[in-house]
Amino acid sequence: MNITQGKGSHWLGKLVERNLLEKMLCSFSKSTGLKAILVDTQGNTLVSTDNEIQDCRFCKMIRADELGAKKCKRSYVRACIEAAKYGEPYIFRCHAGLIMWAAPILLEEHVGSIICGQVLMWEPEDYFLDEIEEMVKGLDVDVNAVKWSAAQLPIMSSDKVQAAADLLFIVANQIMKSGWTVLEQRRKIAAQQARLAEEIQARKRAEVAMRTLESRAFSVYSLDKEYELRTKVRNGEKQAAQQLLDHILVDIAEKHSGNIDTVKTRIVELVVIISRAAVDGGADLNDILHLNSVYYRELLEMTDTDEICLWAKSILDTFMGRVLDNKDQKNLQAIQKAADYIQRNYNKKITIDEIAQVVYLSPCYLSRIFKQSLGCTLMEYLTQIRIERAKIMLRNPKYNIMQVAEESGFEDPGYFTRVFKKIEGITPSRFKQNAL
């Protein structure tokens, strides 16, 4: 069997196994004594049974000439197109007058045909030999030798030609069936990969949400301090406010050491918080605005972190009150509180309404800011927390699947199995086997 390795046969090798093509075409050639080749719509030979049956002497002599070979190729192109057009065996005469037939192979956008023949349906009479003499004009061949080889061609009745064409069509259909099986498997694999990709993305969103919460722990801690500072200033608790400000200034100095511009920016933020809280506590707005403009000019001249921190502490003596927390701060605190509530109650039956009540927000608003901030929904986050807890329990041999499902918040073990496999890619049982 000779399978062309060029670009033209690339699609065939991907859709049909080489061994199957070899077996089918060789079996056909052995049983009929006829050569069979597979060509594309350009007339290129993709598969040939040269090892079993060679071209007849007549065809070899014609194809030995470049022009003759081109005419043979054009005959194949026409036969391939016609067979594909009608979707059935196509019996035809080649340019040299030989009887051949083509069986189409159609696999989506790919088209090919199995071509067989090189026979006559009658005894070669004088007029046929004269036609051959006319045909080979311009070819670099021995005319007498060509005419002699034409007289040696096998002769088949029309019934046998039709039967051979039908048999070839059956072979082609079997090849197409094998190709369609491969295509269907690829479609299923592609669909499965799409589903897996979607689930992987959902899992990644939940994991990113967890990492985001962890990375924000320090920021949330600082925000909590600033929130408490606002309360102390508003209520006039000077000593407590000074102690909180000392902690915040230490945090700023440690985290942004060596970056004086960032230190100044953080101090300005604190001054804004304190000044707004002062206004809420009853300070005159115009006086606070005037002081802020003076303080800002002073801050621009400072170049030392310690000097800036000392300066911020002196401002606190004047600005006692409460600062309004901005919307982003409130949202961040609400999201953190919602996530904490989920982590504490993941094994219970909790709803979005219940979580919203805990953070004093509407369910719709909480869902929106949670998804915007963390990239996953409340229920996706809850499911990920439950699955992570289940994975820990599955590694413990004392828990069975039903216990793990119940303890991790899944009322139905079957539902637990489906969700676990959807997220982890394997069943809880297989995960437990691998872990133990």
Side-chain angles (χ1 to χ4, degrees):
M1 175 65 63
N2 175 28
I3 297 184
T4 305
Q5 298 300 319
K7 183 177 180 181
S9 63
H10 186 62
W11 63 272
L12 187 67
K14 286 187 174 182
L15 298 179
V16 184
E17 291 184 6
R18 173 186 177 126
N19 291 339
L20 179 63
L21 289 170
E22 179 178 350
K23 182 177 180 180
M24 288 186 173
L25 292 189
C26 286
S27 295
F28 176 85
S29 295
K30 287 179 180 179
S31 62
T32 62
L34 300 170
K35 180 179 179 180
I37 62 174
L38 196 154
V39 302
D40 60 18
T41 53
Q42 304 301 315
N44 299 310
T45 300
L46 306 182
V47 181
S48 174
T49 56
D50 286 338
N51 291 344
E52 297 297 332
I53 297 179
Q54 299 287 324
D55 283 328
C56 65
R57 182 184 179 93
F58 177 83
C59 290
K60 286 182 177 180
M61 296 179 68
I62 297 298
R63 291 175 186 162
D65 183 84
E66 183 178 356
L67 178 60
K70 288 182 179 179
K71 289 183 178 181
C72 289
K73 192 172 184 179
R74 286 199 295 268
S75 294
Y76 291 164
V77 170
R78 179 172 63 88
C80 184
I81 294 174
E82 292 298 318
K85 182 191 301 184
Y86 298 107
E88 60 183 21
Y90 175 70
I91 300 173
F92 65 99
R93 288 184 63 183
C94 72
H95 70 99
L98 304 188
I99 301 300
M100 306 184 75
W101 47 97
I105 294 179
L106 309 173
L107 293 170
E108 290 192 335
E109 74 275 14
H110 304 299
V111 178
S113 286
I114 304 177
I115 294 180
C116 179
Q118 300 178 357
V119 300
L120 296 176
M121 293 178 61
W122 55 82
E123 291 287 346
E125 300 179 1
D126 291 341
Y127 77 88
F128 176 67
L129 298 178
D130 292 339
E131 287 180 356
I132 291 177
E133 185 173 351
E134 183 68 24
M135 180 196 67
V136 299
K137 283 184 178 180
L139 302 184
D140 185 17
V141 295
D142 185 333
V143 176
N144 291 327
V146 170
K147 293 172 69 174
W148 180 86
S149 62
Q152 311 306 312
L153 290 168
I155 300 172
M156 290 182 64
S157 67
S158 60
D159 290 342
K160 287 186 177 180
V161 169
Q162 185 62 58
D166 292 340
L167 179 59
L168 193 65
F169 188 56
I170 293 173
V171 174
N173 282 339
Q174 188 61 38
I175 292 174
M176 284 191 288
K177 182 178 179 181
S178 177
W180 281 116
T181 300
V182 173
L183 287 172
E184 184 62 25
Q185 289 175 343
R186 289 182 181 175
R187 292 190 187 99
K188 291 180 179 179
I189 291 173
Q192 177 66 18
Q193 289 176 337
R195 289 193 296 270
L196 287 176
E198 182 180 348
E199 297 307 325
I200 289 172
Q201 289 303 316
R203 180 179 179 184
K204 285 183 176 179
R205 287 195 297 269
E207 291 176 348
V208 169
M210 296 178 68
R211 290 196 298 270
T212 301
L213 287 173
E214 292 173 357
S215 66
R216 289 178 177 174
F218 180 80
S219 297
V220 171
Y221 178 61
S222 297
L223 289 173
D224 287 341
K225 284 183 178 179
E226 293 173 4
Y227 181 86
E228 189 177 356
L229 175 64
R230 180 198 68 182
T231 303
K232 300 302 181 183
V233 172
R234 181 197 62 191
N235 295 336
E237 302 176 37
K238 184 175 181 180
Q239 185 176 358
Q242 288 174 335
Q243 290 176 350
L244 274 173
L245 181 61
D246 285 340
H247 287 300
I248 294 173
L249 292 175
V250 169
D251 290 341
I252 292 174
E254 289 181 348
K255 187 173 183 181
H256 305 294
S257 177
N259 192 334
I260 193 67
D261 290 335
T262 303
V263 170
K264 288 183 178 181
T265 301
R266 290 290 289 118
I267 295 302
V268 169
E269 291 173 352
L270 283 176
V271 171
V272 171
I273 290 173
I274 296 170
S275 62
R276 286 180 177 176
V279 173
D280 287 342
D284 183 76
L285 176 60
N286 291 328
D287 288 342
I288 294 298
L289 291 176
H290 173 69
L291 288 172
N292 277 343
S293 65
V294 173
Y295 291 149
Y296 181 70
R297 287 194 295 271
E298 292 177 355
L299 182 60
L300 290 177
E301 302 298 326
M302 296 180 183
T303 58
D304 181 74
T305 300
D306 291 336
E307 180 187 9
I308 293 173
C309 290
L310 183 61
W311 171 83
K313 292 172 68 175
S314 69
I315 293 176
L316 182 63
D317 293 336
T318 305
F319 291 165
M320 294 297 295
R322 181 178 68 87
V323 63
L324 292 174
D325 196 12
N326 60 51
K327 183 179 178 180
D328 289 341
Q329 289 174 323
K330 289 181 178 179
N331 286 348
L332 183 60
Q333 290 170 352
I335 291 169
Q336 180 64 49
K337 192 172 182 180
D340 290 341
Y341 183 83
I342 290 173
Q343 292 175 15
R344 292 195 308 269
N345 299 278
Y346 69 89
N347 58 343
K348 301 175 183 177
K349 186 177 181 180
I350 56 178
T351 64
I352 295 178
D353 289 343
E354 180 181 342
I355 300 171
Q357 289 177 2
V358 172
V359 297
Y360 304 106
L361 294 174
S362 71
C364 182
Y365 183 72
L366 175 60
S367 298
R368 184 168 69 253
I369 64 173
F370 194 98
K371 178 69 178 291
Q372 289 174 348
S373 180
L374 300 183
C376 68
T377 66
L378 284 161
M379 291 300 100
E380 286 177 343
Y381 184 76
L382 172 60
T383 299
Q384 184 62 35
I385 294 296
R386 286 174 170 172
I387 291 300
E388 292 302 319
R389 176 58 183 168
K391 288 163 63 177
I392 294 174
M393 296 183 67
L394 288 170
R395 294 187 178 96
N396 193 327
K398 75 176 185 178
Y399 294 111
N400 58 39
I401 302 300
M402 293 186 65
Q403 290 174 317
V404 172
E406 183 178 356
E407 291 295 327
S408 56
F410 294 94
E411 296 180 353
D412 181 5
Y415 177 69
F416 165 63
T417 297
R418 291 194 298 273
V419 172
F420 190 98
K421 185 176 181 180
K422 186 177 181 181
I423 293 178
E424 296 297 323
I426 60 175
T427 63
S429 300
R430 178 57 61 84
F431 182 91
K432 188 174 184 67
Q433 292 174 2
N434 294 341
L436 297 179

